[in-house]
Amino acid sequence: MFMGVEMSLLGGIGYVLNIIPLANIVAPLLIGVAWYQVGSRTGQSLFRATGVLMVVTFLASVGFLVFFLGSIIGVIMSTPFAIGGENFSTAVASALLPQIMGYLAVFLAAAVTLAALGLATFVLELGSHFRAAKVLNSVWFRRAAVARIVALVLVLVFVAVVLALAVAEPGALMGAAVVGGNFLLLLLPVIVLMLLANIFSAIAFFTANIP
């Protein structure tokens, strides 16, 4: 029973931290551990898979950030040696450009990998919420899942509007008034829904009767 309470607190706190800037950096780790523990207690492999993937995505994101910062520092540190007594543009073309292109290739590969991990995590987390609603008999898990689905639909609508506008009126995308006004109005409901989704998930964990 004590372990059940511990899991509830861990998951609930994780989802609360997920809506707080800066604190949300460590939130996926807490949430992932909580889902894995709940899966171990309930025998649900979906929960365990969700937890593992969340932790893996978190570690991959940290590694990506370290690589990104390290590559920038590496280029900056090597610039004086690459320039020497030559013209700056010539030095960049002859020495720095291959290094930058190498970093860019790794950067793009890492970004695609992180995007794939993020999508897989989202799908598993969504499925885990629906499964938890039945296994743990909590309507809050279902509400959190529905909020995420609606937010996803709105994001797809936002992307469709941007693409349609780009095709119909390419110049309109360059207007700051359009981008900052009408487009961001579509994103506001998404932000609200994702906040509600995390709040619902926190409530679900805090109130869950985990065996």
Side-chain angles (χ1 to χ4, degrees), residues 23-83:
N24 58 6
I25 296 176
V26 297
L29 184 61
L30 300 180
I31 297 170
V33 172
W35 275 116
Y36 184 85
Q37 289 181 337
V38 173
S40 298
R41 286 296 291 260
T42 59
Q44 294 291 324
S45 58
L46 177 60
F47 298 165
R48 290 196 297 270
T50 300
V52 169
L53 197 56
M54 279 187 167
V55 173
V56 169
T57 303
F58 170 79
L59 296 177
S61 299
V62 172
F64 176 77
L65 180 61
V66 171
F67 166 78
F68 179 71
L69 295 176
S71 62
I72 292 178
I73 294 174
V75 171
I76 293 175
M77 294 294 291
S78 61
T79 298
F81 302 101
I83 295 176

Side-chain angles (χ1 to χ4, degrees), residues 105-205:
V106 176
F107 178 87
L108 292 176
V112 171
T113 301
L114 281 180
L117 284 173
L119 179 60
T121 300
F122 178 83
V123 172
L124 287 184
E125 185 182 18
L126 193 62
S128 291
H129 274 77
F130 280 118
R131 180 75 62 81
K134 295 180 179 180
V135 174
L136 302 178
N137 192 29
S138 173
V139 69
W140 287 106
F141 279 111
R142 184 174 293 105
R143 290 170 179 169
V146 171
R148 285 174 170 80
I149 291 175
V150 177
L152 177 61
V153 171
L154 290 180
V155 169
L156 295 177
V157 170
F158 174 80
V159 173
V161 170
V162 172
L163 293 177
L165 185 58
V167 173
E169 300 179 57
L173 289 177
M174 301 302 294
V178 177
V179 175
N182 297 337
F183 285 174
L184 292 183
L185 284 177
L186 285 174
L187 283 179
L188 184 59
V190 175
I191 297 173
V192 172
L193 282 168
M194 289 309 298
L195 285 174
L196 289 175
N198 281 283
I199 291 173
F200 292 164
S201 294
I203 295 174
F205 266 98

